[in-house]
Amino acid sequence: FDEEEEKIWMICRLIPFVEMRTNIIELAPKGTGKTYVYSQLSKYGWLVSGGSITRAKLFYDIARKRPGLVSRYDYVALDEIHTISFPDEEEMKGALKGYLETGEYRVGDQKGIGEAGIVILGNIPIEYQNEKEFFFKSFDIDHPLRESAVLDRFHGFIKGWKLPKVREGMKASGYALNVEYFTEILHTLRKELHYRFIVDELLEYPKDSYVRDIEAIKRLCTALMKLFFPHVSSKDDLDLEEFEKYCLNLALEMRGTIKTQLNMMDREYSPYL
């Protein structure tokens, strides 16, 4: 990578690997490696690439009496989101809203809880790679992501155009962590609760703050702390300037992008955190 910012955004792709039920959207140009990260790095994740996705496959299959993907994996990534179809749009919107909010789902008389984050991946034309543009303009009008109530339940947005296309010269040489070992560590970090307690201690916010904004920022900060500062056991172990740079400011930017897009979609939502 040529710049630190590129490294940071690459690391942000690992957020769903370390924090339960953290929902992320990434729209990026072709060739930036997003599909590779979510399909090849961890055996605990599942990538759905194009095609059709049903409520039975995602949440619970009544006919087979089998839990869906969200109950069996750490994250479920829906790749090429423009081309994925939902057999029953309204049914899927309802199920998604419930799961994205609480991690619970109901299918028939079955009620379940999943730990998987939902990751949305897609390509974005060059003319929309600007924060002043409405990113979802190229989506079908009845696509679930064109509904503000669905979009609001995603915690953060990764601006994939800030990442470089994968080049031959970017391949690492020398010693590295075995990928199975590395992702086992990430999977184990999901169960570590003290990071969230530290974030709760550190952050203050106005009493009239929007609840979903607070939860999104705290969840992203917790994940980023696990990735950048896994050694911390209390807030005294942290350099507060580093926490602000690598955790809080990133979380604010990722959630802030969601807010800006929500306002473009529905003026009822404020564009500001």
Side-chain angles (χ1 to χ4, degrees):
F1 296 96
D2 296 326
E3 300 174 7
E4 184 185 64
E5 183 184 35
E6 295 175 351
K7 295 181 184 181
I8 289 171
W9 283 113
M10 176 63 84
I11 291 171
C12 284
R13 286 176 167 171
L14 301 178
I15 286 172
F17 290 58
V18 296
E19 188 67 10
M20 287 189 289
R21 292 197 299 272
T22 303
N23 309 311
I24 299 293
I25 299 173
E26 179 181 353
L27 299 181
K30 298 173 183 176
T32 55
K34 58 186 182 300
T35 302
Y36 181 86
V37 168
Y38 294 106
S39 66
Q40 300 297 321
L41 285 192
S42 177
K43 65 183 179 183
Y44 296 107
W46 189 266
L47 182 113
V48 178
S49 186
S52 176
I53 183 79
T54 63
R55 188 173 66 163
K57 184 175 182 180
L58 199 56
F59 298 111
Y60 188 85
D61 190 326
I62 295 175
R64 297 183 179 181
K65 296 182 179 179
R66 186 186 185 197
L69 297 172
V70 298
S71 295
R72 308 199 317 264
Y73 293 96
D74 287 357
Y75 63 83
V76 177
L78 305 181
D79 195 13
E80 299 180 16
I81 192 62
H82 288 82
T83 64
I84 287 180
S85 62
F86 304 98
D88 188 325
E89 295 274 358
E90 293 306 315
E91 182 184 74
M92 183 58 81
K93 283 180 186 178
L96 266 177
K97 281 187 277 190
Y99 181 77
L100 292 169
E101 183 74 29
T102 64
E104 296 181 349
Y105 58 83
R106 290 178 183 270
V107 180
D109 59 355
Q110 289 292 328
K111 178 181 177 182
I113 297 177
E115 295 185 349
I118 301 294
V119 180
I120 301 294
L121 303 172
N123 296 323
I124 183 169
I126 192 168
E127 61 268 25
Y128 295 119
Q129 296 172 22
N130 184 316
E131 292 179 48
K132 295 180 180 178
E133 295 292 336
F134 180 44
F135 303 150
F136 304 99
K137 193 173 182 179
S138 59
F139 286 64
D140 293 338
I141 194 68
D142 57 351
H143 194 285
L145 285 180
R146 289 292 296 264
E147 182 172 326
S148 58
V150 174
L151 181 61
D152 191 23
R153 286 164 167 79
F154 281 87
H155 300 113
F157 187 96
I158 294 177
K159 302 168 186 172
W161 55 91
K162 292 196 172 186
L163 280 153
K165 289 185 180 294
V166 178
R167 306 181 301 272
E168 185 66 26
M170 291 169 64
K171 292 180 181 177
S173 60
Y175 292 104
L177 289 174
N178 174 279
V179 69
E180 291 284 346
Y181 176 72
F182 175 62
T183 52
E184 200 69 41
I185 293 171
L186 301 184
H187 175 69
T188 303
L189 282 169
R190 293 168 69 83
K191 303 293 186 182
E192 295 291 335
L193 302 179
H194 71 276
Y195 296 98
R196 177 58 183 260
F197 295 143
I198 296 170
V199 169
D200 286 339
E201 278 190 272
L202 287 172
L203 297 188
E204 296 179 359
Y205 41 84
K207 291 182 179 179
D208 61 348
S209 298
Y210 185 41
V211 172
R212 284 188 185 140
D213 289 343
I214 295 171
E215 179 58 27
I217 290 164
K218 284 188 172 185
R219 206 170 280 222
L220 292 170
C221 277
T222 302
L224 291 164
M225 187 185 295
K226 290 175 180 179
L227 291 166
F228 285 104
F229 310 110
H231 66 285
V232 301
S233 57
S234 75
K235 66 178 183 180
D236 297 328
D237 296 330
L238 272 173
D239 179 309
L240 293 184
E241 287 187 3
E242 289 187 344
F243 170 78
E244 187 172 4
K245 177 180 179 180
Y246 293 106
C247 300
L248 181 56
N249 288 347
L250 267 174
L252 289 169
E253 182 172 356
M254 291 176 72
R255 178 60 185 176
T257 303
I258 295 285
K259 293 286 286 189
T260 303
Q261 292 297 306
L262 275 171
N263 176 256
M264 293 180 184
M265 187 181 294
D266 184 346
R267 297 298 178 185
E268 185 180 335
Y269 289 89
S270 168
Y272 307 110
L273 289 171

